[in-house]
């Protein structure tokens, strides 16, 4: 019996915040944010633990676009 080949398929893009591959989300300046992180971003307050993570990622996004 002939040997079959294994093929890996990449599904979705890598989220700039959670670093997980997701199929649906938001493309911003050639960068991807998954729906879960987008929803979390919309409900964050300055006191939330993840707030600084999102601020850092948004700064990186703008720096990469400008520079």
């Amino acid at each position: 019996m002939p040997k079959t080949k294994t093929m890996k398929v990449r599904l979705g893009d890598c989220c700039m915040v959670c670093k997980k591959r997701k199929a649906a989300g938001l493309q911003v300046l050639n960068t991807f944010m998954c729906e879960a992180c987008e929803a979390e971003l919309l409900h964050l307050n300055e006191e939330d633990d993840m707030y600084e993570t999102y601020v850092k990622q948004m700064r990186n996004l703008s720096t990469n676009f400008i520079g």
Side-chain angles (χ1 to χ4, degrees):
M1 178 174 267
K3 200 173 199 180
T4 59
K5 294 182 181 181
T6 303
M7 184 169 68
K8 293 182 181 181
V9 178
R10 188 178 88 171
L11 299 175
D13 292 310
C14 186
C15 177
M16 69 179 184
V17 179
C18 68
K19 308 295 186 213
K20 296 180 182 176
R21 288 211 176 274
K22 303 284 179 96
L26 179 65
Q27 286 284 346
V28 180
L29 303 174
N30 296 328
T31 306
F32 177 77
M33 181 185 295
C34 72
E35 288 180 336
C37 289
E38 180 186 358
E40 185 175 8
L41 173 64
L42 294 175
H43 295 96
L44 279 178
N45 294 319
E46 289 182 29
E47 298 84 28
D48 293 330
D49 293 336
M50 288 297 293
Y51 182 80
E52 285 301 316
T53 302
Y54 281 92
V55 169
K56 181 180 174 184
Q57 293 299 336
M58 293 299 132
R59 282 189 185 136
N60 288 339
L61 178 65
S62 65
T63 301
N64 291 337
F65 179 70
I66 295 168

